[in-house]
Amino acid sequence: MVTDLARTFPLAVASGALRDEIETILFTAGLLKHFAVIISAQDVNKGKPEPEIFLKALARLNAQFENGPPITAADCLVIEDSKEGIRGARRGGMKCLAVSNSHSVELLREADAVVRSLEEVDLSFLEEGGEDIEQFRPGWPKVDPVTLMTTAKGVFVAGDLAHGTRLL
């Protein structure tokens, strides 16, 4: 999934973990080169559910791609698996696709959409939609990931998902 997404979107990791841990996990999985920005717990003053980590990742993406049109918070999709991370993304004005690998779907209802596993999610799933989507946010079309990805210019993969590299 990460390799396909990186060909289309600038990717960032926004994690409450330490930078060395994030980089080691991503390097071991062969994914480090796909992330333009990594924001760790060391880079922020306030953790999730505050949006600081996501907004800082967005600012760094914009700094790296300053010759292109700016990416706004509304252009971003955050992939999260925690209630605190979902709240941080939403407070930051970003769309959120939640994955219920560590929490129940019920606890993740504040996300724009929820899938049960990223193992079934790839770029075509996000572009065409899939059958395993739980829809929650009023006003979203029936197949949320289509809207999420076609409007996203930046994608953030939250830290807990980076820890579970089998999901990426």
Side-chain angles (χ1 to χ4, degrees):
M1 177 173 132
V2 170
T3 304
D4 290 340
L5 286 174
R7 289 185 193 120
T8 308
F9 304 103
L11 302 181
V13 172
S15 174
L18 299 176
R19 177 175 299 281
D20 288 346
E21 294 173 349
I22 299 165
E23 290 177 352
T24 298
I25 290 166
L26 292 175
F27 178 79
T28 302
L31 299 173
L32 183 61
K33 65 185 175 191
H34 298 298
F35 292 91
V37 171
I38 295 174
I39 302 297
S40 71
Q42 296 146 293
D43 299 313
V44 296
N45 295 316
K46 296 179 180 178
K48 302 170 191 175
E50 295 303 317
E52 180 184 3
I53 198 163
F54 298 119
L55 296 174
K56 191 165 273 193
L58 173 58
R60 293 226 183 128
L61 280 177
N62 277 321
Q64 283 196 8
F65 300 100
E66 63 186 26
N67 293 333
I71 302 168
T72 68
D75 293 328
C76 297
L77 171 66
V78 174
I79 300 172
E80 256 294 348
D81 68 347
S82 74
K83 184 168 60 171
E84 294 79 13
I86 292 166
R87 286 183 177 163
R90 303 289 300 151
R91 288 177 182 173
M94 299 174 184
K95 298 170 192 75
C96 188
L97 174 63
V99 182
S100 64
N101 62 303
S102 56
H103 296 289
S104 71
V105 171
E106 288 299 317
L107 287 176
L108 305 175
R109 285 199 173 270
E110 291 180 46
D112 294 296
V114 178
V115 293
R116 298 199 190 293
S117 171
L118 282 182
E119 291 175 345
E120 302 164 9
V121 178
D122 59 16
L123 190 56
S124 64
F125 176 93
L126 294 171
E127 291 172 343
E128 298 167 16
E131 296 177 9
D132 296 328
I133 301 165
E134 300 286 340
Q135 180 184 345
F136 300 117
R137 183 79 35 212
W140 281 84
K142 189 172 185 180
V143 183
D144 290 327
V146 173
T147 302
L148 290 172
M149 292 308 298
T150 57
T151 61
K153 293 181 184 171
V155 175
F156 302 119
V157 177
D160 290 340
L161 295 178
H163 282 271
T165 51
R166 64 181 174 77
L167 300 173
L168 299 175

